[in-house]
C-alpha cells in the first residue's frame, strides 16, 4: 500500500463507471438524482491537498429506446458542458430463443465499458498522470485492471467509491481506501434545471427526472 506525502499537492483523476452508478442511484432513489453533475460529485471527493485533473465518465450509448436515448443524450451534453470527459462503449444486440415455445426476443449486452475503464487507468498509471485514482464502481471485473495499475506504477494510490446499493468485497480488499457515495453527496451535486454549453446552447433537464429535491 502506498502512502502519499500530506505536505504536497496530489493530482487526482476520477473514473466513473456510468452503468454501475446509474443502476445504483436508480435502485436506491429512483429518478431523483439522475440529473447529476459528475464534475461536482468528483470535486466533493477531494481533500484540501488534492487537485482534480480530470473526470473520465464511461458509459454505453442506449439503443432502440428513443425516450431513454433522448434523456441520455441530454445528460452527455450536460457533462461535456461542465468539463467531464465521456468515453462511450456500446450495446450489442442479441436474439434469444425459447427452446420450449420457440418464441424469440431481443436482448442487449453492454460491451467494452469495463475494458475501456481499465485501459485508461493503466495508461494513466504508466505515464504517471496522477498520484491518486478514484474509481466509482463496484464492478469486480475491474480487478485485473487495478492489479495492472499496481504493477506499472506502485506509487499510485487507488480509492474506490461505491455507488448506492453497490458493494464489492474484492474491490475493497484491493483498494488503498474506499467509501460509499451517500444521498447527501448526490443531492449536493445535482445539475441546475438548465445547463448552458460554451456555445450558448441550453440543455434542459428531462421532465421525467423530476424537480430538484
Amino acid at each position: 500500500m502506498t502512502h502519499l506525502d500530506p505536505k504536497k499537492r496530489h493530482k487526482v483523476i476520477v473514473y466513473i463507471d456510468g452503468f454501475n452508478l446509474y443502476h445504483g442511484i436508480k435502485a436506491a432513489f429512483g429518478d431523483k438524482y439522475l440529473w447529476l453533475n459528475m464534475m461536482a460529485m468528483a470535486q466533493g471527493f477531494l481533500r484540501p491537498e488534492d487537485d482534480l485533473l480530470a473526470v473520465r465518465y464511461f458509459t454505453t450509448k442506449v439503443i432502440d429506446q428513443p425516450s431513454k436515448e433522448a434523456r441520455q443524450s441530454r445528460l452527455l451534453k450536460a457533462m461535456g458542458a461542465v468539463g467531464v470527459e465521456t468515453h462511450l462503449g456500446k450495446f450489442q444486440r442479441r436474439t434469444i430463443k425459447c427452446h420450449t415455445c420457440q418464441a424469440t426476443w431481443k436482448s442487449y449486452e453492454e460491451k467494452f465499458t469495463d475494458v475501456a475503464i481499465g485501459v485508461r487507468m493503466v495508461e494513466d498509471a504508466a505515464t504517471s498522470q496522477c498520484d491518486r485514482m478514484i474509481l466509482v464502481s463496484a464492478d469486480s471485473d475491474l480487478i485485473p485492471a487495478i492489479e495492472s495499475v499496481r504493477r506499472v506504477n506502485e506509487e499510485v494510490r487507488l480509492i474506490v467509491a461505491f455507488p448506492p446499493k453497490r458493494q464489492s468485497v474484492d474491490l475493497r480488499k484491493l483498494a488503498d481506501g474506499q467509501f460509499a457515495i451517500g444521498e447527501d453527496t448526490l443531492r449536493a451535486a445535482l445539475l441546475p434545471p438548465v445547463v448552458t454549453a460554451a456555445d450558448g446552447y441550453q440543455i434542459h433537464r428531462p421532465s421525467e427526472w423530476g424537480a430538484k429535491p
Side-chain angles (χ1 to χ4, degrees), residues 74-142:
R74 291 191 197 184
L75 181 61
L76 295 180
K77 289 175 181 176
M79 290 300 93
V82 299
V84 174
E85 299 176 17
T86 297
H87 303 260
L88 293 177
K90 65 179 182 179
F91 279 108
Q92 180 172 295
R93 294 180 182 88
R94 299 176 58 204
T95 299
I96 299 177
K97 184 176 182 178
C98 175
H99 295 292
T100 302
C101 67
Q102 304 303 308
T104 62
W105 62 92
K106 286 183 180 179
S107 180
Y108 301 90
E109 182 179 3
E110 184 195 18
K111 301 293 287 185
F112 309 127
T113 300
D114 54 346
V115 174
I117 295 171
V119 167
R120 194 55 195 259
M121 289 177 67
V122 172
E123 286 179 350
D124 288 342
T127 55
S128 299
Q129 294 297 305
C130 60
D131 308 301
R132 189 167 175 249
M133 296 179 170
I134 300 178
L135 172 64
V136 179
S137 183
D139 187 350
S140 59
D141 286 347
L142 289 165

Side-chain angles (χ1 to χ4, degrees), residues 22 25-26 30-36 38 75 190 209:
Y22 171 87
I25 293 174
K26 188 84 170 172
D31 295 341
K32 189 161 61 169
Y33 300 116
L34 297 180
W35 191 237
L36 185 65
M38 310 291 176
L75 181 61
L190 285 173
W209 288 352

Side-chain angles (χ1 to χ4, degrees), residues 34-36 67-79 81 191-197 200-212:
L34 297 180
W35 191 237
L36 185 65
S67 61
K68 289 186 177 181
E69 289 179 49
R71 291 194 293 271
Q72 185 190 49
S73 177
R74 291 191 197 184
L75 181 61
L76 295 180
K77 289 175 181 176
M79 290 300 93
L191 289 159
V194 180
V195 177
T196 302
Y201 180 77
Q202 292 191 325
I203 308 151
H204 294 259
R205 179 185 58 217
S207 59
E208 298 91 336
W209 288 352
K212 182 175 179 179

